[in-house]
Amino acid sequence: MPLIDVSGSPTSQALPPATGITEANTTSVGHAPVVTLVFDGPTDGKAFSAAAVLRSEGYAGTLVGIGPVGIDRLTQGFRVGFDLLEITDTELQQLKPCHLAPFPHHYQPNPNGHPALKKSA
Amino acid sequence: MYQYNAIDQAIVDARVAQFAEQMDRYLQGSLSDEQFAPLRLQNGLYLQRHAPMLRVAIPYGTLDSRQLRKLADIARRFDRGYGHFTTRQNIQFNWLDMAEVPEVLGELAKVQMHAIQTSGACIRNTTTDPLAGAVADEAMDPRVVCELIRQWSTLHPEFASLPRKFKIAVTATDTDRAAIEVHDIGIRLKRHAVHGVAFDLWVGGGLGRTPVIGRRLLADLPVAELRNWLTAALRVYNLAGRRDNKYKARIKILVNAMGLQAFREQVTHRYLSDHDPALRIQARELDDLAACFSRPLEPRLDVPLPAAPEFQRWFGQNTRPHRVSGYRVVFLSLKRPGTAPGDVTATQMEAVAALAEKFSLSEIRTTHDQNLVLPHVDCSDLESLWRALAAQDLAHPNINLISDSIACPGIDFCSLANAPSLSLAEALHETFADLEEQMAIGPLEVKISGCMNACGHHHIGHIGILGVEKKGEPWYQLTIGGRDQNGVVLGERLGPAVPHDAVLPLIRRVVDRYLAERQQGEIFVDYVARCGIKSLKEVSYATH
């Protein structure tokens, strides 16, 4: 199944074996250039926190999420630090810009250095 | 009150557009029922027994008159002319057309309201003391912290697919009117010699099929670090919480399995390791929010109040002291004979909106007990307000009395329920029809749940009623002695379940025994704490 980046472009990427999420910290992944985390189901969000932890601890390599992420969760995945996320061929055909960036602002800081926390007016 | 800025409004507007697009895909068949379910739930849209139900968020239970008018407008245009206030300070519309829900969300957005995260496995609407900002002994207005949490948790990318739903409550007074000990996370704000205001973090409380009283995880934390601590706790839960069994997925199960000390160590590790300066709350941010909620009022001289017994009864039962002399907090009872607890018609909503404008700085509060509050009423206006409320059937003087029961929608609406709840609430009105008798009984909270999910909070009712299914018929299990304030206590099971028609006779026997054995001035729940339930068991089942 295709992997897409934050712009929605499909990319070919050779993936290493998936990393167990309970070990997903910088000690376990070291300087691996690519780390793959698995979504076990369409409502499983454990990998969102695993990715956030890795980015928080300074992991700078490529983070890949595989499994049933779903196009409505792509924005969450990219915002917590994934570089590439897996979608199905059908989802790729349905993909629109609004699925990748549904919100003009966010309340939370972003580990990739994207939009900052909103300050209350 | 907090008012949206352009960023808040843009986010809510974008959410409406996002859900409309998702609904289009569902109606066109691109999304299956299973794929659509988590998307609609995170916008508060349920499929109930008869029709779709939309749960609208009322952040920390605070509304203004314009918002209440909009809810009335939605009730009239899109529903059957009424709404239902819930036990978590929200409102539900029970009879919507699914295809119209995006339009309803658009209408809500016009008045800075939404249904975001009112359901689903995410951080839900933060609840607090319905008297916030109106009582004297607060460390600070808890709604300031609630609003910070609202912003931080709204569409949080990391925490939108948690193992299970996640509920946070905040209190800022010694008397905990937010029941923080039965929430996934409870925050107790308090005055602090070093930080000015600090907070204690409670964790692992909850009701449902496995009721657990939360425990204090950490104490004396600076408010500035609230978001970093919440992130750490949620992160540990999201990584380690069970996903294999939804009945074992709440944080209370994780904390118990891990042990409080080990959970504390993991949260502290994450806090130290992942600390994000961008999450630190600046003093300016707190000050700006505090200014939004501030209601400076000048003290007033005492005014003579009407001596009419009906007024005095209402005043004594349905009003409370205000932090400013010359003002009162006024409760509007939504527990009247013939009406389901928490139900309000569009006409009544409009009337309350007008009365709030006239008498309470346009502010309305919703309570966990499914009533409304006008928080800032000048005592010289009380008689006029009382008469206006009575004309709307909203001056029933039964706050905290036995007929002021709370109840989930039960099997009449909810597809999860085993048994009716609303009919028992009505039966309480019939059995204890005499208000003088109710007042003689004194404070007695009855909480009714139609199933183990405990939306009616039966575990913490002075008398709790749980609907269970027995050979295809609804039966009811009673618990006695629960309480939700000043040290939460879970009620103790009275005895075997009984059929519907036996519930009120059983409660009558319990109440009569209490009246016979109580000490002077002793309220029901204190009597149970003193005597236990042995005597009540004996009298309850003597004829069975």
Side-chain angles (χ1 to χ4, degrees), chain A residues 21-22 25 42-53 56-57 71-73 75-77 79-80 91 94 96 98-99 102-110 117-121, chain B residues 2 5 7-8 10-11 14-15 18 21-22 25 30-31 38-39 150-162 227 235 238-239 243 270 273-274 276 278-279 285 288-289 292:
Chain A
I21 284 178
T22 52
N25 55 57
T43 59
D44 174 26
K46 191 190 294 187
F48 291 134
S49 276
V53 166
S56 176
E57 293 181 351
I71 58 176
D72 295 288
R73 299 199 299 168
T75 182
Q76 295 161 226
R79 288 188 56 225
V80 299
E91 287 171 337
Q94 294 175 343
K96 298 175 187 171
C98 66
H99 300 136
F103 300 103
H105 309 281
H106 303 287
Y107 289 118
Q108 304 82 17
N110 186 313
L117 190 72
K118 169 192 167 267
K119 299 298 179 190
S120 301
Chain B
Y2 181 76
N5 63 18
I7 292 174
D8 296 306
I11 289 172
R15 182 60 157 171
Q18 183 192 43
E21 194 270 343
Q22 291 168 341
R25 272 189 283 145
S30 300
L31 286 174
L39 305 178
R150 185 194 71 80
Q151 293 183 20
W152 165 80
S153 64
T154 295
L155 305 171
H156 198 299
E158 190 180 338
F159 303 131
S161 300
L162 294 169
R227 288 190 291 229
R235 194 164 276 176
N238 199 26
L239 286 167
R243 287 177 159 87
R270 290 261 65 92
S273 175
D274 305 345
D276 185 347
L279 287 176
E285 192 175 3
D288 287 350
L289 282 174
C292 293

Side-chain angles (χ1 to χ4, degrees), chain B residues 122-374:
Chain B
C122 53
I123 303 170
R124 304 286 188 87
N125 180 34
T126 300
T127 53
T128 192
D129 184 351
L131 309 189
V135 288
D137 58 342
E138 291 178 326
M140 64 183 288
D141 191 324
R143 293 172 301 168
V144 172
V145 165
C146 292
E147 177 57 27
L148 285 166
I149 296 171
R150 185 194 71 80
Q151 293 183 20
W152 165 80
S153 64
T154 295
L155 305 171
H156 198 299
E158 190 180 338
F159 303 131
S161 300
L162 294 169
R164 275 288 268 146
K165 58 188 171 185
F166 201 92
K167 298 174 180 177
I168 302 175
V170 183
T171 189
T173 54
D174 290 339
T175 300
D176 174 17
R177 284 176 290 264
I180 65 165
E181 293 172 60
V182 288
H183 282 75
D184 296 286
I185 278 185
I187 294 166
R188 179 182 284 282
L189 296 158
K190 60 187 188 182
R191 294 186 181 89
H192 192 269
V194 176
H195 303 308
V197 176
F199 70 96
D200 293 348
L201 190 67
W202 290 65
V203 69
L207 299 176
R209 68 181 57 218
T210 312
V212 177
I213 298 173
R215 289 178 285 174
R216 195 170 67 173
L217 184 73
L218 294 155
D220 301 320
L221 304 171
V223 172
E225 287 300 315
L226 176 73
R227 288 190 291 229
N228 272 304
W229 280 111
L230 288 176
T231 300
L234 265 294
R235 194 164 276 176
V236 171
Y237 171 54
N238 199 26
L239 286 167
R242 286 179 63 173
R243 287 177 159 87
D244 59 323
N245 179 344
K246 75 176 200 174
Y247 301 120
K248 304 285 184 187
R250 296 287 290 268
I251 195 173
K252 60 191 174 189
I253 304 295
L254 175 66
V255 172
N256 282 345
M258 192 180 274
L260 185 66
Q261 180 57 26
F263 186 79
R264 181 183 292 125
E265 287 168 6
Q266 287 214 18
V267 171
T268 304
H269 168 70
R270 290 261 65 92
Y271 170 79
L272 295 171
S273 175
D274 305 345
H275 186 272
D276 185 347
L279 287 176
R280 189 172 171 80
I281 299 161
Q282 304 299 322
R284 170 75 188 277
E285 192 175 3
L286 282 174
D287 291 345
D288 287 350
L289 282 174
C292 293
F293 293 105
S294 173
R295 292 293 199 178
L297 294 168
E298 289 296 320
R300 301 292 180 94
L301 295 174
D302 286 343
V303 294
L305 295 172
E310 285 194 342
F311 175 87
Q312 286 294 329
R313 190 164 61 179
W314 172 82
F315 177 83
Q317 208 62 50
N318 286 23
T319 78
R320 300 287 182 274
H322 193 279
R323 64 182 161 79
V324 180
S325 61
Y327 287 82
R328 297 290 285 186
V329 175
V330 174
F331 284 76
L332 283 55
S333 173
L334 305 186
K335 319 295 172 55
R336 302 88 70 203
T339 306
D343 277 9
V344 188
T345 67
T347 301
Q348 288 173 320
M349 287 189 236
E350 286 163 345
V352 172
L355 292 172
E357 271 174 351
K358 190 172 181 182
F359 296 121
S360 186
L361 308 176
S362 292
E363 261 192 59
I364 306 106
R365 308 289 175 78
T366 57
T367 79
H368 316 283
D369 296 332
Q370 299 177 284
N371 292 312
L372 297 177
V373 169
L374 298 182

Side-chain angles (χ1 to χ4, degrees), chain B residues 101-122:
Chain B
V101 169
E103 187 181 351
V104 173
L105 296 176
E107 290 295 313
L108 291 169
K110 290 177 184 174
V111 293
Q112 306 186 357
M113 296 187 80
H114 59 74
I116 299 169
Q117 292 169 211
T118 54
S119 179
C122 53

Side-chain angles (χ1 to χ4, degrees), chain B residues 3 23 53 162 234 342 429 437 483 495 505:
Chain B
Q3 298 294 317
M23 178 71 86
M53 178 273 279
L162 294 169
L234 265 294
H429 284 294
E437 187 199 11
R483 61 165 87 209

Side-chain angles (χ1 to χ4, degrees), chain B residues 24-70:
Chain B
D24 276 348
R25 272 189 283 145
Y26 173 67
L27 295 176
Q28 289 167 12
S30 300
L31 286 174
S32 66
D33 288 345
E34 186 185 13
Q35 289 170 317
F36 186 51
L39 305 178
R40 65 173 166 76
L41 286 173
Q42 297 218 357
N43 260 298
L45 180 57
Y46 284 76
L47 301 181
Q48 293 285 62
R49 192 170 291 273
H50 307 294
M53 178 273 279
L54 182 69
R55 182 181 295 151
V56 177
I58 300 175
Y60 33 91
T62 296
L63 282 169
D64 65 23
S65 292
R66 186 178 61 130
Q67 292 172 323
L68 190 55
R69 283 201 179 89
K70 176 56 73 179

